[in-house]
Amino acid sequence: MILEALSALEEAKAANEEIRRIAAQNLVAERDAGSLAEVSDTSGPDSLPVNEVRDLRRTVSELILEDAFFAEYEAELEAQLGDLRRLAADAERFAGIAAAAPGTAGLGAAMRDQALALQRSYAFCRSRYDAPGGETIRRRREALEAHRSRDGERKALEREAREKMQSAAGLLRSIGNWKADGEQAERFRRAAEAAEANLAWNRRQKEWTRRTGPSVDPAEERDRALESAGGWLDALDRAAAGIRDDLFFSEYVIGRFTRFDPSLLRRLLDGDTALLDLSRQETEYILYGFREPAANLAAAYGEVFAFRLAVRTLEGLVESRSLGHPLVILAGATVYGVTRAAADLEKLIAADSVPLSKYVQVETRYADYLRLFLLLHGDSAAALARVIALIELNTGIAADQAYTYVSGEGSASLGLWFFPGIVNMLGASGGWGGQVAGNRYVATYSADLGYQ
């Protein structure tokens, strides 16, 4: 047990150094963000909470334990290990004398002396290390409780977050629990088979299947949502930087295929399974590709909830900063995030509109989230195969037996800086590839592309 405690202490020291490193990074970030804070101070009441975030970053340093704490704790464990080893040695010597005593005369005094030594060792260890009242154990418990002075408050907040998370997870699971009738399931089966055939035809690999529902553990879901936020921001950054394929694919799907109307979700939860038809949720099917109709909707709304949880938890860190201790702030932010994210989901279902953030008053709709998810992971071989499968189902045309042909033509006109007659002569000789009309030079080009 002592060796395990020493190992755990080493892990705690490593974690403490990681917190120290993060705190140092926060100081650098705070210096770099000085100009941004000046802008925020003059931006009005609805500006981003730069000063609050700066104060919040400073609280991280409160989690750092001094090196002396670990040195004292390690020395204490080493001393306890030495005392227990001496007790074991005294017990071993007494056992040896006691085993030899029955057939040997003159060992009574030695046995008594060793018994006294064993009793003293045991009494010493008990006075220091007995769990209920040992002096060393008591002092260590008091020291740890001093560092956990607000642990009860943190645990209470975590229990509240867990209860709220169970409620939100129940709503999302209920979406995916509905079963489609035979005709609806058949349409999904045919779409899946067409998509798989297209993948095979193009010698593609199927993508991995994403999970469809949230964890009931709010801390786990919070961490997963915050981790995913980086991917969402990267997707938006790629779109802003002009990654055309991702952007064009996303807009093509949003513009050409149906998506489930949030206002119909309550009817679905009340048992109207006719709403699960593929014709009502083509975009969700393209994104997730589940054969079970309700699973695609559950996956979509689960990802919307994760996005809202990430946004609201970041808000919660600011709103909960008055709680003081960083771990209590994190627990309070989790409660805030889960509560507000669940309310956002209800608002999105009721009105198909929810503000992006408390600090960014831009209304977002269900279609906006699908656009983002398509940017993030929609432009894959499997998603493209599902697009083709839906086109085949909707048109009755097999893509592997059809040809695509595109023809384009463009004209350009340029005012002439030189004598039109000279340019006309050059054009007539084929040097320019266009012709002169009055005092302007006009060129027309065409391009053709065909593929199967």
Side-chain angles (χ1 to χ4, degrees):
M1 294 293 290
I2 303 300
L3 295 178
E4 292 178 3
L6 286 168
S7 176
L9 185 64
E10 287 300 317
E11 293 179 7
K13 287 170 66 176
N16 192 62
E17 288 304 313
E18 179 67 12
I19 295 173
R20 197 191 304 274
R21 183 187 64 80
I22 293 172
Q25 288 180 339
N26 284 342
L27 289 176
V28 174
E30 182 179 328
R31 289 195 296 268
D32 293 343
S35 59
L36 182 59
E38 294 174 3
V39 172
S40 178
D41 288 340
T42 60
S43 299
D46 295 328
S47 59
L48 293 174
V50 176
N51 291 329
E52 290 84 348
V53 172
R54 179 193 60 205
D55 295 339
L56 184 63
R57 280 175 169 166
R58 291 175 179 172
T59 65
V60 175
S61 60
E62 297 178 20
L63 293 174
I64 301 174
L65 297 174
E66 298 297 330
D67 293 338
F69 172 86
F70 293 98
E72 180 184 343
Y73 204 163
E74 185 174 5
E76 181 182 292
L77 290 172
E78 293 287 359
Q80 184 176 356
L81 182 61
D83 291 338
L84 292 176
R85 283 173 174 169
R86 281 189 289 274
L87 175 61
D90 286 339
E92 186 176 352
R93 282 192 290 270
F94 177 77
I97 294 175
T104 307
L107 291 179
M111 183 178 295
R112 285 191 296 273
D113 291 343
Q114 193 56 48
L116 288 173
L118 178 58
Q119 287 178 339
R120 284 193 296 269
S121 294
Y122 176 75
F124 178 80
C125 287
R126 184 170 184 179
S127 67
R128 283 178 173 265
Y129 309 120
D130 185 54
E135 180 183 357
T136 301
I137 298 297
R138 178 182 54 78
R139 285 202 312 267
R140 179 51 51 194
R141 183 184 296 113
E142 290 173 355
L144 292 175
E145 287 177 352
H147 289 289
R148 300 171 179 169
S149 58
R150 305 189 64 179
D151 214 33
E153 185 178 356
R154 174 184 63 81
K155 290 180 178 178
L157 288 169
E158 288 177 349
R159 283 194 298 271
E160 182 181 354
R162 190 174 297 109
E163 292 171 0
K164 294 181 180 297
M165 189 66 223
Q166 288 174 343
S167 176
L171 171 63
L172 295 171
R173 281 197 300 268
S174 66
I175 297 174
N177 286 338
W178 294 102
K179 302 297 181 182
D181 62 28
E183 183 178 349
Q184 293 167 346
E186 175 63 17
R187 283 182 58 82
F188 276 89
R189 186 192 64 77
R190 287 168 54 202
E193 288 181 354
E196 290 168 2
N198 185 269
L199 280 171
W201 192 71
N202 288 282
R203 296 187 176 91
R204 298 284 190 175
Q205 294 294 323
K206 289 189 66 177
E207 66 182 4
W208 57 277
T209 301
R210 288 171 288 275
R211 68 187 182 93
T212 61
S215 167
V216 295
D217 183 351
E220 179 184 345
E221 194 66 19
R222 175 202 65 211
D223 294 342
R224 184 182 289 118
L226 292 174
E227 183 179 354
S228 298
W232 294 322
L233 293 175
D234 288 344
L236 290 175
D237 185 58
R238 290 199 307 271
I243 307 301
R244 295 177 302 172
D245 287 351
D246 291 353
L247 187 59
F248 288 170
F249 181 82
S250 173
E251 289 305 306
Y252 178 79
V253 171
I254 290 294
R256 296 285 183 175
F257 294 94
T258 64
R259 55 187 172 273
F260 197 81
D261 187 343
S263 65
L264 300 177
L265 195 59
R266 285 297 174 193
R267 285 174 51 189
L268 174 62
L269 294 176
D270 290 336
D272 189 354
T273 57
L275 299 173
L276 289 174
D277 192 76
L278 179 59
S279 62
R280 293 183 181 271
Q281 51 166 309
E282 293 173 339
T283 299
E284 290 87 347
Y285 175 72
I286 290 169
L287 261 172
Y288 305 103
F290 293 113
R291 291 195 179 197
E292 188 59 44
N296 296 294
L297 297 180
Y301 279 93
E303 201 162 8
V304 170
F305 178 78
F307 182 94
R308 299 308 310 167
L309 180 59
V311 171
R312 294 304 193 181
T313 299
L314 292 174
E315 288 179 9
L317 290 171
V318 175
E319 296 298 316
S320 305
R321 67 188 187 281
S322 61
L323 296 176
H325 192 278
L327 294 179
V328 182
I329 290 175
L330 182 59
T334 304
V335 173
Y336 179 99
V338 173
T339 304
R340 298 302 192 282
D344 289 343
L345 201 60
E346 293 283 354
K347 187 180 296 185
L348 194 68
I349 293 171
D352 192 20
S353 180
V354 64
L356 178 60
S357 168
K358 176 180 179 179
Y359 304 106
V360 183
Q361 290 295 321
V362 176
E363 292 297 316
T364 60
R365 299 182 180 277
Y366 180 59
D368 297 325
Y369 293 101
L370 294 182
R371 276 189 172 94
L372 177 59
F373 303 153
L374 285 164
L375 283 173
L376 179 63
H377 50 64
D379 187 16
S380 65
L384 185 58
R386 290 192 286 271
V387 167
I388 296 173
L390 289 175
I391 293 174
E392 290 180 341
L393 286 178
N394 292 337
T395 64
I397 298 173
D400 60 351
Q401 299 176 11
Y403 290 85
T404 299
Y405 175 78
V406 180
S407 178
E409 184 176 278
S411 296
S413 175
L414 180 67
L416 296 176
W417 290 1
F418 306 101
F419 296 107
I422 296 175
V423 177
N424 193 25
M425 180 183 65
L426 291 173
S429 66
W432 286 57
Q435 55 184 317
V436 174
N439 65 344
R440 300 190 68 81
Y441 170 75
V442 180
T444 300
Y445 298 93
S446 61
D448 299 271
L449 174 65
Y451 61 91
Q452 183 181 11

